[in-house]
Amino acid sequence: MDSSRTAQRVVIQFLRAEGEHASQIYRRLKEVYGEQCLSRCTIFRWCQRYEAGRVNIDLLRPGQAHVVTNSDTISAVDELIRQNRRSPHMKLLSNCR
């Protein structure tokens, strides 16, 4: 989930806690995020979840891989690929840990 979606979900939770209606939340998010705004139905769905008592944002889902991308990791993977282009991807992954 990208940071814009996460930020919007936090805003939805906050505004719902203040008693803001879903349609008003959608309008306000649309003004701020423009085309990056969550869809109207997604905002309404999250409002319903928060009204039903959901309190966490679920930034990571169970079983979801942690992704770390930085120049060191990219360089390491690039070097492993250049050393042996026929190496299976699982072997590459085990070398990166």
Side-chain angles (χ1 to χ4, degrees):
M1 179 176 311
D2 67 273
S3 61
S4 175
R5 288 179 58 87
T6 302
Q8 289 180 65
R9 286 171 62 178
V10 171
V11 170
I12 292 167
Q13 185 179 28
F14 175 76
L15 293 175
R16 255 329 282 144
E18 285 195 330
E20 197 81 50
H21 293 284
S23 56
Q24 184 68 10
I25 293 171
Y26 172 71
R27 188 187 65 73
R28 291 177 68 180
L29 287 174
K30 192 73 172 167
E31 288 175 6
V32 174
Y33 291 98
E35 292 193 18
Q36 298 297 317
C37 182
L38 295 172
S39 70
R40 184 177 185 274
C41 102
T42 299
I43 292 170
F44 275 67
R45 187 177 334 115
W46 278 104
C47 285
Q48 287 176 340
R49 289 177 182 173
Y50 294 133
E51 287 171 22
R54 185 174 188 152
V55 292
N56 64 345
I57 300 294
D58 280 346
L59 299 178
L60 289 175
R61 295 184 179 126
Q64 184 177 5
H66 296 271
V67 178
V68 178
T69 306
N70 58 39
S71 59
D72 293 336
T73 305
I74 293 169
S75 296
V77 171
D78 187 52
E79 182 60 32
L80 288 170
I81 291 170
R82 290 178 189 279
Q83 287 175 4
N84 185 0
R85 292 185 182 270
R86 297 180 193 265
S87 180
H89 69 280
M90 293 309 288
K91 184 178 177 185
L92 287 174
L93 291 174
S94 67
N95 288 335
C96 291
R97 294 179 184 161

